[in-house]
Amino acid sequence: MFLFNPGPHGARLPRLWLALASIATALTLGAPAHAEWPERPIDMIVPFPAGSSPDLLARIVSEPLSQALGKPIIVQNKPGAGGNIGTRLAAEAKPDGYTMLFTINGPLTTAPTLYRKTLGYDPFTDLAPVTLVATSPNVLVVPSSLGIKTVEQFVKLAKERPGALNYGSVGPGSASQLAMEMFKGQAGLDIAHIPYPGFPQVISAIIAGDIQSSFMVPAIAMPQARNGKATVLAVTSLERTETLPDVPTMAEQGYPGFEAISWDAILVPAGTPSGVVERLNSELARIISSDKVREQMAVQYFTPAPSSPEQLSTRMRDEKARWDAVIEKLNLSLD
């Protein structure tokens, strides 16, 4: 039988070990599991230029979100490649809760198919959904100088001048480009594509006569339509909208089932702590549903549509499947 002999000083060791263990336990219990978030300003990447629709909506929600979190939200415009450049920057950012992405559907749902080899990010594995923000139909816009008022008249003009007309979009693979390509396929039109960094540049090109058509969000088109510089021919929702009740749908004008809805959403880099995602979702749901934000979005022809992260993920996958069928039918690839 082994007997422990502490010796003259050994009797003190158990007491010392107990004391050290007690101190360690107290420190462990007294310290927080992680630093309080947020401790510093948060970047909100918008992959489109200042003045664009997503930029305007981002600034509408960023101010009250900043107040709710107690830290500044800094909107960072990173335009280019139909939103893919800024989206990739967000996907590659450190997942520490200090980077958010505010983007439209194109970089999330159509770009992965159009850029199978060169996109540089996977929205389903490199980004984590937070919430859907708002939805809006697109509108088909032409220069008022063309003197046409209906989709039928535009189709007639395009067929009389094959290859002579141009259309603008916010970049290859964007919803605005795909909507026009779908329209071209259904109507049998030959119209060339000219990409721009954002819709402000597109509407300027329409007014200048550099391009003759575009599908775009109403917030950019309607001010120019009201002052007589552009003409809105149709909305791309299946039914007329409350914000544009006098504008007929594409379906009403001979293209049944034609639908191309724009939406905006907020995501974060994959791996962002779940507590951060939950806090952002909770605060944003309250903000987006508020009367003040609803009124501000209505001015931009958007309808607030907060969601859970899971609902946004489902929407992304469903819409990708729908547009994949269109892309395959039109044999489109941008690699």
Side-chain angles (χ1 to χ4, degrees):
M1 183 176 182
F2 176 75
L3 296 175
F4 172 67
N5 182 4
H9 302 292
R12 300 173 186 169
L13 292 176
R15 290 194 293 271
L16 178 61
W17 292 337
L18 287 172
L20 290 173
S22 297
I23 293 171
T25 300
L27 290 173
T28 300
L29 293 176
H34 54 79
E36 188 69 20
W37 176 89
E39 293 185 303
R40 53 186 172 84
I42 301 169
D43 288 333
M44 178 180 281
I45 294 176
V46 178
F48 296 95
S52 63
S53 176
D55 174 71
L56 295 174
L57 293 183
R59 295 178 190 279
I60 287 174
V61 301
S62 64
E63 181 180 352
L65 181 60
S66 174
Q67 294 173 355
L69 298 178
K71 296 295 179 182
I73 306 293
I74 302 173
V75 175
Q76 303 269 11
N77 296 98
K78 303 292 183 180
N84 297 345
I85 291 175
T87 302
R88 184 171 66 248
L89 289 174
E92 294 173 347
K94 186 176 181 181
D96 56 4
Y98 293 97
T99 300
M100 290 186 287
L101 171 69
F102 193 110
T103 188
I104 61 175
N105 35 331
L108 304 176
T109 61
T110 58
T113 304
L114 291 163
Y115 297 89
R116 293 182 187 273
K117 301 177 183 178
T118 60
L119 186 61
Y121 66 89
D122 184 337
F124 297 96
T125 59
D126 297 334
L127 293 166
V130 175
T131 184
L132 184 66
V133 176
T135 63
S136 173
N138 289 297
V139 290
L140 177 57
V141 186
V142 299
S144 295
S145 58
L146 289 182
I148 61 177
K149 302 295 183 182
T150 68
V151 173
E152 181 182 9
Q153 291 173 346
F154 178 75
V155 169
K156 183 175 183 292
L157 175 66
K159 288 187 174 182
E160 289 173 349
R161 301 168 60 187
L165 303 187
N166 301 318
Y167 79 89
S169 81
V170 292
S174 63
S176 56
Q177 190 220 6
L178 285 180
M180 183 61 79
E181 290 298 328
M182 185 166 62
F183 176 40
K184 285 172 57 179
Q186 292 183 8
L189 304 181
D190 180 9
I191 306 175
H193 175 217
I194 299 179
Y196 292 87
F199 283 129
Q201 291 81 7
V202 175
I203 195 66
S204 294
I206 284 181
I207 293 170
D210 296 332
I211 57 176
Q212 289 72 47
S213 60
S214 177
F215 282 103
M216 65 173 62
V217 291
I220 302 299
M222 294 312 297
Q224 303 304 328
R226 284 194 293 268
N227 66 25
K229 295 181 179 180
T231 301
V232 172
L233 303 181
V235 294
T236 59
S237 51
L238 293 177
E239 298 179 354
R240 296 195 187 197
T241 67
E242 292 182 5
T243 54
L244 295 167
D246 298 327
V247 180
T249 66
M250 292 289 292
E252 286 179 69
Q253 300 185 73
Y255 299 90
F258 192 101
E259 182 182 27
I261 302 298
S262 290
W263 48 264
D264 294 77
I266 292 177
L267 301 93
V268 292
T272 297
S274 59
V276 171
V277 175
E278 292 169 4
R279 174 82 185 279
L280 285 173
N281 179 268
S282 176
E283 297 289 2
L284 286 164
R286 177 183 57 80
I287 290 167
I288 296 168
S289 300
S290 68
D291 290 341
K292 180 179 180 180
V293 168
R294 181 176 294 275
E295 291 170 2
Q296 290 176 313
M297 287 188 178
V299 173
Q300 304 299 325
Y301 301 92
F302 273 84
T303 301
S307 74
S308 68
E310 294 75 19
Q311 288 170 329
L312 174 55
S313 178
T314 297
R315 187 184 189 99
M316 288 169 58
R317 294 185 184 280
D318 288 349
E319 185 156 319
K320 181 180 184 300
R322 183 168 72 88
W323 283 112
D324 278 357
V326 174
I327 293 168
E328 182 178 351
K329 183 176 181 180
L330 297 174
N331 194 29
L332 295 176
S333 176
L334 299 173
D335 279 323

